[in-house]
Amino acid sequence: VGVENFITHNGDFEFFNVNGNYYDTEIVQLWLEKVLDTPMPATVDSAGIAGVIDLLRTQGSFALSIRFALCLTLPSSKVEAAPAVDYPTVREYQEIAKSFETELNNLTDGADMNYGKLSLEDISSDKEKRNRFASMVLESLQKELVTADSGLGLGRLAKFVSFDLEDAEWINFVRSAIDAFFDND
């Protein structure tokens, strides 16, 4: 399912703030081409705004929510015209998203004995249930790391995020992706 964002713009897009650092429009547009894996359609600031909205609006899509979390929520997240490491492709984000989707289905199908069947609203509105969901995803991704080949997309993700379960960055990354899935509309 495709999503289109229509933006009416009557102003200026002069900069974008990531982790307390301000980046001018030209750098943001070059960065957006890398993170969105799409050429900028024009050099006007409206195209930059549209790209940022594409990055921010992720509700209901784990692949897009993972991209959002990777690009904007890590302590190391920054805007670079020529990033040293390539960002994952859309296909790689979709592969990583399968673990999120499987564990969400497990929760809504009642596979978690602690909760029984849950609705999306149950999970979305309850921090404890979101945290349980995040734990399930972390366990699933850890298993994938042990058994999967680098084609899963986790190999490229590892260049941005530590997969150590003791590392708060990994846990916060998964939680940020889940929060974006439920909240970023």
Side-chain angles (χ1 to χ4, degrees):
V1 173
V3 175
E4 290 185 31
N5 295 307
F6 293 93
I7 299 165
T8 49
H9 171 62
N10 187 17
D12 291 320
F13 180 53
E14 300 295 333
F15 59 86
F16 186 60
N17 183 324
V18 175
N19 280 335
N21 295 305
Y22 292 89
Y23 303 94
D24 68 33
T25 305
E26 182 180 338
I27 300 299
V28 172
Q29 289 177 324
L30 293 169
W31 174 72
L32 285 168
E33 288 186 317
K34 306 294 185 200
V35 301
L36 299 176
D37 197 24
T38 303
M40 190 63 56
T43 58
V44 296
D45 59 348
S46 296
I49 291 170
V52 169
I53 296 300
D54 284 347
L55 188 57
L56 296 174
R57 192 159 185 237
T58 70
Q59 188 177 53
S61 170
F62 282 117
L64 298 180
S65 296
I66 292 164
R67 181 179 70 188
F68 165 83
L70 178 68
C71 295
L72 296 174
T73 70
L74 299 175
S76 60
S77 294
K78 59 186 170 186
V79 174
E80 298 176 289
V85 177
D86 289 336
Y87 284 85
T89 64
V90 171
R91 184 181 161 284
E92 289 170 325
Y93 285 124
Q94 290 168 339
E95 286 296 316
I96 299 164
K98 288 179 182 177
S99 291
F100 287 77
E101 292 162 359
T102 297
E103 296 309 324
L104 182 61
N105 287 336
N106 287 339
L107 277 177
T108 59
D109 291 343
D112 187 319
M113 302 301 248
N114 295 324
Y115 293 110
K117 283 188 173 186
L118 296 174
S119 69
L120 290 177
E121 179 64 29
D122 292 332
I123 302 163
S124 173
S125 63
D126 187 303
K127 185 174 181 166
E128 178 185 326
K129 291 178 177 109
R130 278 197 198 196
N131 285 338
R132 175 63 186 134
F133 178 32
S135 295
M136 293 168 68
V137 170
L138 284 165
E139 289 175 31
S140 175
L141 289 172
Q142 285 301 123
K143 288 177 189 171
E144 291 291 339
L145 282 170
V146 172
T147 61
D149 61 79
S150 61
L152 185 67
L154 290 174
R156 193 176 324 239
L157 187 62
K159 296 177 185 199
F160 296 90
V161 184
S162 165
F163 288 154
D164 183 351
L165 281 176
E166 302 300 318
D167 190 338
E169 181 181 69
W170 180 226
I171 296 163
N172 290 335
F173 167 76
V174 169
R175 285 184 180 151
S176 293
I178 289 170
D179 288 346
F181 174 83
F182 285 114
D183 302 330
N184 282 24
D185 185 27

